[in-house]
Amino acid sequence: MLFPTNNLVTTEEAQQDFAKITRIVDECGSVVIYKNNVPCYILTELGQDDLIPAEDGEVMQVSARLMEQNKEAYEVLAQ
């Protein structure tokens, strides 16, 4: 796989100057982050078209699970 060299950064660079990395993503569309001289991560801009809305059933399942997990907290808040 070939990548343009202007959007290659190391994990150390990404940790030290994340703002720089996001600027490169804004300019190039993505950044390939190398770890130990091997491509390890791709950071890309997430557009509104990439978001998939959850269906009502999925939202209700997650909500029920969270309410069950945090039942004690909800009971305290209800008082």
Side-chain angles (χ1 to χ4, degrees):
M1 185 181 266
L2 299 175
F3 300 104
T5 56
N6 61 337
N7 67 339
L8 301 178
V9 298
T10 65
T11 53
E12 291 81 15
E13 287 177 283
Q15 289 173 341
Q16 291 174 359
D17 194 356
F18 192 72
K20 172 187 169 186
I21 306 307
T22 58
R23 281 193 302 275
I24 295 172
V25 170
D26 289 340
E27 294 169 6
C28 299
S30 66
V31 169
V32 177
I33 302 174
Y34 272 68
K35 184 176 185 179
N36 299 324
N37 294 324
V38 177
C40 191
Y41 306 102
I42 296 177
L43 181 65
T44 186
E45 184 176 14
L46 184 63
Q48 290 297 319
D49 295 338
D50 299 324
L51 301 176
I52 301 170
E55 294 186 19
D56 288 342
E58 294 171 320
V59 172
M60 293 304 291
Q61 286 176 345
V62 171
S63 179
R65 183 172 42 104
L66 290 172
M67 286 173 56
E68 183 62 33
Q69 288 175 351
N70 300 296
K71 189 175 185 175
E72 292 177 18
Y74 285 115
E75 288 173 354
V76 170
L77 289 172
Q79 294 176 359

